[in-house]
Amino acid sequence: MSQRRKFLKQSLLGSALFIPGITQACAQGSKENLPGEKPLILSTWNHGLPANEAAFKKLQETGDIVDAVEAGVKDTELDLNNLSVGLQGLPDREGITTLDASIMKGDGSCGSVAFVRQVKHPISLARAVMEKTPHVMLAGEGARQFAIQEGFPMEEEKLSPKAQKAYDEWKKTSQYKPVINIENHDTIGMIGMDASGNLAGSCTTSGLAYKMHGRVGDSPIIGAGLYVDNEVGAATATGLGESIIRICGSFLIVELMRQGRTPQEACEEAVKRLIAKNQQDIKDIQAGFLAINKEGHIGAYAVHPGFNFAQGTLKGNILIDSKSHF
Ligand code: ASP
């Protein structure tokens, strides 16, 4: 059974919340064949399937879409098999895992943490920055201190066995080059809308494997890895953060939707823009975007094939292959 089918099956069996029902055609992004379902949650990559389930469960419990997008990606932050989200993620080139995360509500409230160590749930720390401080972003040691002060669960600084093994292997050559594949670019970005049309989003990652110490990607940069506006829609990104930051990718998509583009058209335009601004290296750059608008229409598009995403509604939770430019 292919990975995609396996995940679909597991997901549908794994939750009483979802029943099958959405067809592959729903994902193609044109206005005509979209579900327009609310509530609706989209997440990047196949880890989005269990994350969507966790998000829907929380939405049922509290009715709050911010709680839902936080709970959804927390599930991924704990997934020991995931080498690009959470403390089990691949380290930087000094052998230290550093995390980036952001969260945003449709009213413009947002919070993020960057280059933070030892924090088990960076997404919850980002939420605490949003709700408990006058700031939007905390980085590095300051973010870690804030986590300690707030009583967040912390972990000893030790690589997971899988990450240690991969790092030891990498050290044999110590070559860093961004590579197009799922393993090295695997952030979870989640955007969701409740039944009343309120939007929220979350994004969390350990960033690029073997990055320079101190490197921060797009995920904690509001407007790059995530942007949400209740008047228009929401967008999130995954892939090479540098290429996404250069075009303010998620903000760009929301603004294009504000000007009348469909989510699909907006994602495609953002990918075109990204390619134009990163032409020299584009063969080695993967990036993918997800978007939803107020009507519950969706968009997804990537630079290269291989990007997929999970779409969850009350009717089902399915993994969909995104279209791509190349
Ligand atoms: N966007 C993330 C970053 O550049 C990487 C990823 O999507 O996996 O840090």
Side-chain angles (χ1 to χ4, degrees):
M1 190 185 294
S2 74
Q3 273 304 93
R4 194 180 78 78
R5 290 190 63 82
K6 201 163 108 198
F7 272 103
L8 173 56
K9 196 167 165 219
Q10 275 170 354
S11 173
L12 292 172
L13 290 175
S15 170
L17 285 171
F18 292 110
I19 51 167
I22 297 174
T23 64
Q24 188 79 19
C26 295
Q28 299 307 316
S30 72
K31 256 184 177 161
E32 301 71 52
N33 60 5
L34 287 168
E37 296 270 350
K38 299 174 195 177
L40 166 69
I41 295 181
L42 298 186
S43 306
T44 55
W45 305 113
N46 51 21
H47 49 218
L49 286 172
N52 281 0
E53 289 189 16
F56 265 89
K57 190 162 172 271
K58 184 57 94 175
L59 189 61
Q60 255 192 353
E61 276 164 30
T62 72
D64 183 342
I65 191 67
V66 185
D67 289 347
V69 297
E70 179 192 0
V73 304
K74 270 176 90 166
D75 181 87
T76 323
E77 287 178 343
L78 292 182
D79 178 0
L80 288 178
N81 289 318
N82 190 314
L83 291 183
S84 47
V85 179
L87 288 173
Q88 64 282 354
L90 293 172
D92 63 20
R93 61 194 198 187
E94 313 300 328
I96 300 166
T97 302
T98 66
L99 306 176
D100 296 339
S102 64
I103 193 159
M104 187 164 192
K105 283 163 67 169
D107 67 358
S109 316
C110 51
S112 77
V113 291
F115 185 48
V116 66
R117 293 156 77 156
Q118 293 182 282
V119 176
K120 204 162 177 175
H121 285 300
I123 195 63
S124 301
L125 189 60
R127 185 171 180 177
V129 172
M130 171 171 82
E131 291 177 346
K132 297 184 174 176
T133 80
H135 307 304
V136 162
M137 188 171 193
L138 289 181
E141 182 55 14
R144 198 182 73 92
Q145 289 299 334
F146 178 58
I148 294 167
Q149 181 191 314
E150 289 295 314
F152 274 83
M154 309 292 285
E155 275 191 7
E156 205 189 321
E157 200 146 65
K158 189 169 182 296
L159 294 183
S160 66
K162 272 191 173 182
Q164 185 68 56
K165 199 166 163 229
Y167 179 58
D168 290 343
E169 195 54 40
W170 175 79
K171 269 196 300 189
K172 290 181 186 163
T173 53
S174 303
Q175 290 286 318
Y176 176 67
K177 189 172 187 287
V179 185
I180 303 170
N181 67 18
I182 294 181
E183 279 303 308
N184 284 5
H185 301 272
D186 226 353
T187 299
I188 182 148
M190 175 179 279
I191 45 179
M193 180 163 51
D194 67 17
S196 320
N198 292 308
L199 291 152
S202 56
C203 192
T204 179
T205 189
S206 53
L208 295 186
Y210 320 126
K211 59 196 175 186
M212 285 177 73
H213 188 61
R215 181 263 188 190
V216 170
D218 60 305
S219 307
I221 309 293
I222 300 297
L226 179 68
Y227 200 73
V228 182
D229 185 336
N230 263 351
E231 286 176 15
V232 181
T236 191
T238 181
L240 187 68
E242 286 74 4
S243 70
I244 296 161
I245 293 171
R246 280 187 194 111
I247 62 156
C248 289
S250 295
F251 181 72
L252 173 63
I253 289 169
V254 172
E255 290 310 296
L256 288 167
M257 293 194 292
R258 194 189 304 276
Q259 290 159 24
R261 309 280 186 101
T262 65
Q264 186 62 28
E265 288 166 351
C267 288
E268 291 183 15
E269 180 62 32
V271 166
K272 243 193 248 167
R273 187 87 58 95
L274 186 149
I275 291 169
K277 298 288 180 203
N278 296 273
Q279 254 169 0
Q280 266 188 328
D281 307 311
I282 203 63
K283 279 210 307 292
D284 293 327
I285 294 176
Q286 174 64 311
F289 295 103
L290 294 181
I292 58 182
N293 67 9
K294 284 291 288 175
E295 287 73 46
H297 299 148
I298 71 166
Y301 206 58
V303 176
H304 295 281
F307 174 48
N308 55 21
F309 63 100
Q311 174 186 282
T313 68
L314 290 174
K315 289 185 179 168
N317 187 27
I318 59 172
L319 189 67
I320 296 165
D321 291 324
S322 164
K323 291 191 200 167
S324 62
H325 181 88
F326 293 110

